[in-house]
Amino acid sequence: MPNRRTVLKWGAVAVGAAATAPVLRAAAPHVVVVGAGAFGGWTALMLARAGARVTIVDAWGPGNMRASSGGETRVIRGSYGDRAIYTRMAARSLRLWQDHEKRWGRELYFPTGALWMFGADDSFARGSESVMRAEGLPFERPALADARTRWPQIDFTGVQSLMFEREAGYLLARQSCAVVLEQAQRAGAEYRQAAVKAGEPAKRLDAVTLGDGASLAADTFVFA
């Protein structure tokens, strides 16, 4: 049974000191990922690329209406005030989507820009600036006079300051979940559309029960 270190990284293991000794490879761990949404799909894809044996299980399919990853679109933005961890995750996510669009030849992310409007308190924008700059996320603080020319369709009454994120935009959420699952399968993952029944809490989980009563065993389980 592979331990935690084996799950993360496995490779050739030399048996004996002689140069001619046989070389054995530790068996790739079997990882079951429950949930084929944004977190589950990407987890399965990365594990499959790393060489793990992966089974993805989802009751309703990737990006379905019941899932938090469902819906047609999701916004990607870098401004989160002083919550720097979210800006860093958004920047990483944006780079991953841009890289994989090129890799897959699919357009899933559409940069439209995002305009933030503030009254007297623009602490959210000011808190966002330093970490966005550090993460290479471009933004502007346009003057109101310029904004009225650039966005004549907006009534800026009551607005005192602005911030414009040039690379913010929207992702085709449901379609993206389906594409990521498709790529995980191409990388060797298996997909099963089935519900997973919750069991009794245990110190170690060796198997889960599916909706049809079948048992699915694995070395490691990821509930996404």
Side-chain angles (χ1 to χ4, degrees), residues 174-196:
R174 177 183 56 79
Q175 293 183 42
S176 295
C177 288
V179 170
V180 171
L181 175 59
E182 173 189 314
Q183 295 299 322
Q185 290 176 286
R186 289 188 177 184
E190 176 191 358
Y191 172 62
R192 299 179 67 171
Q193 187 159 319
V196 173

Side-chain angles (χ1 to χ4, degrees), residues 5-216:
R5 183 173 298 173
T6 307
V7 170
L8 295 175
K9 184 177 182 180
W10 55 95
V13 179
V15 180
T20 56
V23 175
L24 304 179
R25 288 192 177 277
H30 181 198
V31 183
V32 167
V33 178
V34 181
F39 285 95
W42 276 102
T43 297
L45 175 58
M46 294 302 184
L47 284 170
R49 284 180 180 169
R53 176 188 165 207
V54 181
T55 302
I56 312 166
V57 184
D58 194 287
W60 304 101
N64 68 81
M65 292 177 61
R66 299 169 178 82
S68 59
S69 300
E72 292 306 306
T73 59
R74 288 292 186 279
V75 170
I76 295 182
R77 58 185 172 92
S79 52
Y80 284 91
D82 59 2
R83 295 175 293 176
I85 187 172
Y86 292 105
T87 299
R88 295 190 185 106
M89 287 192 295
R92 173 68 172 150
S93 175
L94 182 59
R95 287 192 290 268
L96 281 170
W97 280 115
Q98 291 169 336
D99 291 345
H100 282 76
E101 280 189 333
K102 295 175 183 177
R103 184 173 184 167
W104 299 335
R106 298 286 297 272
E107 187 175 20
L108 298 165
Y109 180 69
F110 297 84
T112 59
L115 180 66
W116 294 82
M117 293 171 276
F118 304 96
D121 182 8
D122 68 345
S123 58
F124 180 86
R126 288 184 283 106
S128 301
E129 289 180 4
S130 60
V131 65
M132 287 180 67
R133 192 176 290 112
E135 293 298 323
L137 295 173
F139 66 89
E140 306 171 39
R141 296 301 303 271
L144 278 171
D146 295 334
R148 291 188 177 98
T149 301
R150 292 174 65 178
W151 298 286
Q153 71 274 31
I154 298 177
D155 180 359
F156 289 101
T157 301
V159 176
Q160 295 187 26
S161 65
L162 303 159
M163 182 171 69
F164 180 65
E165 295 186 52
R166 293 199 299 273
E167 291 187 2
Y170 68 91
L171 184 76
L172 297 178
R174 177 183 56 79
Q175 293 183 42
S176 295
C177 288
V179 170
V180 171
L181 175 59
E182 173 189 314
Q183 295 299 322
Q185 290 176 286
R186 289 188 177 184
E190 176 191 358
Y191 172 62
R192 299 179 67 171
Q193 187 159 319
V196 173
K197 293 184 177 180
E200 292 296 323
K203 291 184 179 179
R204 178 173 177 81
L205 184 64
D206 295 311
V208 293
T209 302
L210 304 183
D212 60 2
S215 179
L216 181 59

